[in-house]
Amino acid sequence: MLFIDGCCNGIADKINPCYNKPMKKFYSPVKEYDSCKRPHLVFKFLRAIVGWFFPKNDFIWKTEKPSDDEPVFFVCNHTKIYAPTYFIINKEHRARVWANYYFLYSKVFWRHMKTKVLNKRKPKFILYPLAFLLMPVIILTFRAFEPIPVFHKDERVEKMTFKKSIETMKAGMPQVIFPERTENKVNRYIFQFNHGFPKVAERYYQETGKILRFFPVYCAEKIHTFVVGDPIAYDPTVSMETQADDICRYLENKIAELGDSLPEHEPVVYG
């Protein structure tokens, strides 16, 4: 009986005293970690269905592939939903997607829908109830594909976004970001990039001493092709404020080069 009591009342948050071994930790996009692996059977079924009907794509490396022990960080044009969907459903090139945090929490999701998505659309008497009914489905779907939650301009950028990104690197899983804004088109393929994400390379270097490289990726939706170009590496000797701009400018220009290198096609632009 004493042994059972000790088992039930042990510290147990990190160590299971009954078996005297660490408890497993699984990735979670909304909290520090999950203590059990969630099966997400409905999502996996839907992902398989979408995968059957999704067009087959060529995935072309126009640069040397990273070594097995190097974290893979793709920076891709957004298209509409084509490129993110590909990285979520494709088995061979599956990657953890950076996704805005308001798709993961009900309160901020509904506020985002009312102020950013539905505010200029009609008829509201149909769209508002429909969005409200779909809200739990959308949130559960986003949580199921386990994205890196993107927060903006508060402490959660460090505590969640960068932390989850580095956690993904350490786990050896590729990740992909689609950092386009919805204004200021810089070339025929993309809008200007948000400049916050390169700072994760500085945090990664501070934590591991390793240099992170960002691989530009261009998605040509109309011809079902993804192209990966020469990466740009973080430089710990250059200030992050200057370097973030330089990294984004390089990636923007490189994606344009990759687009120009393909047969003539109509770009699908985000926005």
Side-chain angles (χ1 to χ4, degrees):
M1 181 64 69
L2 289 175
F3 175 75
I4 295 175
D5 289 341
C7 223
C8 296
N9 298 320
I11 299 174
D13 204 20
K14 296 182 178 180
I15 300 293
N16 184 335
C18 294
Y19 302 99
N20 194 30
K21 64 180 181 180
M23 294 178 65
K24 289 185 177 181
K25 296 181 180 181
F26 298 94
Y27 182 88
S28 170
V30 295
K31 55 185 179 180
E32 185 177 358
Y33 64 89
D34 274 326
S35 57
C36 61
K37 182 66 175 176
R38 300 179 185 277
H40 297 301
L41 297 179
V42 174
F43 167 74
K44 289 179 179 178
F45 173 76
L46 293 175
R47 183 173 63 186
I49 296 296
V50 173
W52 290 340
F53 293 97
F54 199 81
K56 183 178 179 181
N57 288 260
D58 292 324
F59 198 92
I60 304 168
W61 287 84
K62 289 195 172 183
T63 187
E64 185 178 351
K65 291 184 180 181
S67 60
D68 291 340
D69 60 349
E70 178 181 1
V72 178
F73 197 118
F74 293 130
V75 181
C76 186
N77 60 312
H78 202 299
T79 64
K80 300 296 183 183
I81 63 170
Y82 190 90
T85 301
Y86 174 83
F87 282 103
I88 291 170
I89 68 171
N90 185 275
K91 289 183 179 180
E92 184 178 359
H93 301 114
R94 189 168 296 165
R96 186 162 284 157
V97 174
W98 285 46
N100 278 306
Y101 77 99
Y102 39 72
F103 291 114
L104 297 167
Y105 302 92
S106 57
K107 289 184 179 179
V108 289
F109 175 89
W110 184 241
R111 184 167 64 246
H112 173 73
M113 293 296 290
K114 289 193 298 182
T115 59
K116 300 292 185 181
V117 179
L118 302 177
N119 57 325
K120 295 182 180 179
R121 289 178 168 83
K122 296 180 180 180
K124 287 183 169 48
F125 74 92
I126 294 178
L127 293 178
Y128 272 64
L130 181 61
F132 188 80
L133 290 173
L134 289 176
M135 179 173 65
V137 177
I138 296 172
I139 292 173
L140 288 174
T141 300
F142 267 77
R143 290 187 178 191
F145 67 74
E146 298 181 339
I148 293 168
V150 180
F151 290 89
H152 309 277
K153 298 180 180 180
D154 63 36
E155 70 279 358
R156 292 173 298 180
V157 174
E158 295 282 349
K159 294 181 178 180
M160 286 294 289
T161 304
F162 290 168
K163 184 176 183 293
K164 294 297 181 180
S165 176
I166 293 173
E167 184 179 331
T168 299
M169 296 180 211
K170 291 180 177 179
M173 183 174 185
Q175 61 188 290
V176 59
I177 187 172
F178 310 93
E180 284 183 79
R181 303 176 184 180
T182 55
E183 57 185 8
N184 191 16
K185 198 173 180 182
V186 294
N187 55 58
R188 68 187 294 251
Y189 302 102
I190 54 172
F191 287 97
Q192 183 181 13
F193 284 172
N194 288 297
H195 288 193
F197 74 91
K199 297 175 183 177
V200 72
E202 181 179 51
R203 305 300 185 271
Y204 181 67
Y205 178 77
Q206 292 170 347
E207 190 167 325
T208 67
K210 298 179 180 179
I211 300 296
L212 177 65
R213 298 193 295 168
F214 298 96
F215 287 83
V217 182
Y218 174 63
C219 168
E221 177 179 341
K222 297 296 185 181
I223 57 175
H224 306 151
T225 302
F226 287 77
V227 191
V228 185
D230 294 328
I232 182 170
Y234 165 71
D235 185 348
T237 67
V238 178
S239 74
M240 196 66 245
E241 184 175 353
T242 299
Q243 192 171 178
D245 294 341
D246 292 342
I247 289 173
C248 286
R249 192 176 303 111
Y250 170 88
L251 294 168
E252 291 166 353
N253 293 335
K254 202 66 181 179
I255 285 175
E257 290 180 21
L258 294 172
D260 289 342
S261 72
L262 295 175
E264 184 60 32
H265 64 283
E266 184 64 28
V268 177
V269 183
Y270 184 54

